[in-house]
């Protein structure tokens, strides 16, 4: 992003994001703040100001632990619930490999911090745990889910 005045840079970023939303390039979840920092080549505080400006205009909304969304779209449940839904999906069995932090970040468009928090909650519930090597595996299936038959 070309550098104008430091005070106006966040406005340039917010207008660029507004255009992407208007043109349908961004339809639901916005990229993570880290991805926006890299894309626009600006500081995190500039991205935060740009997002705050869009939020003040009602264009986007934030969801704790889930990220930023175009207003009126997206799954607003906490990230831990959305990640737990992976275990409710068909074909998942106890002992299966659980996705990596990186895979979860990409799938849900969430920060590594948010993903780590969701994983910690799921480990605390006994749903997932350390598997062979460095990965995690499914230890139990969430309550209310039909058991899988082999």
């Amino acid at each position: 992003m070309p550098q104008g005045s430091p005070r106006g840079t966040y406005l340039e970023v917010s207008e660029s994001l507004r255009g992407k939303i208007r043109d349908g390039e961004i339809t639901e979840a916005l990229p993570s703040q880290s991805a926006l920092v890299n894309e626009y080549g600006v500081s995190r505080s500039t991205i935060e100001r740009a997002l705050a400006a869009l939020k003040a205009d009602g264009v986007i909304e934030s969801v704790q632990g889930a990220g930023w969304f175009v207003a009126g779209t997206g799954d607003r449940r906490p990230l831990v619930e959305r990640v737990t839904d992976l275990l409710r999906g068909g074909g998942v069995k106890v002992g299966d490999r659980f996705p990596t932090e990186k895979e979860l970040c990409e799938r849900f468009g969430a920060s590594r911090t948010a993903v780590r928090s969701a994983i910690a909650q799921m480990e605390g519930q006994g749903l997932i745990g350390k598997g062979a090597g460095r990965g995690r595996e499914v230890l139990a299936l969430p309550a209310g889910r039909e058991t899988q038959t082999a």
Side-chain angles (χ1 to χ4, degrees):
M1 167 133 299
Q3 293 295 326
S5 75
R7 283 195 250 185
T9 305
Y10 81 95
L11 293 173
E12 293 175 25
V13 173
S14 69
E15 284 307 310
S16 174
L17 290 170
R18 187 185 310 268
K20 288 180 178 187
I21 291 167
R22 182 183 52 245
D23 296 342
E25 292 178 50
I26 299 174
T27 58
E28 191 172 312
L30 274 71
S32 69
Q33 287 188 19
S34 296
L36 293 172
V37 164
N38 291 333
E39 178 179 345
Y40 289 100
V42 297
S43 69
R44 189 172 199 86
S45 64
T46 298
I47 295 300
E48 289 170 353
R49 287 185 72 192
L51 295 173
L54 291 171
K55 182 179 180 181
D57 290 343
V59 176
I60 64 173
E61 56 193 9
S62 68
V63 176
Q64 183 69 30
W68 291 89
F69 293 85
V70 175
T73 65
D75 187 346
R76 302 299 189 265
R77 294 176 301 145
L79 182 61
V80 67
E81 288 182 28
R82 295 185 295 140
V83 175
T84 301
D85 278 351
L86 294 175
L87 303 182
R88 290 186 179 101
V92 178
K93 300 180 298 298
V94 170
D96 284 354
R97 175 191 162 281
F98 191 74
T100 65
E101 288 178 5
K102 182 180 178 186
E103 290 168 339
L104 294 170
C105 288
E106 291 170 358
R107 181 171 186 160
F108 293 101
S111 71
R112 188 155 306 235
T113 302
V115 166
R116 285 180 178 159
S117 175
I119 287 171
Q121 290 176 58
M122 293 175 73
E123 286 176 336
Q125 295 169 11
L127 297 174
I128 60 173
K130 298 288 182 190
R134 294 180 49 163
R136 290 181 177 84
E137 67 179 38
V138 177
L139 299 178
L141 299 174
R145 181 173 176 272
E146 299 297 320
T147 37
Q148 297 290 316
T149 54

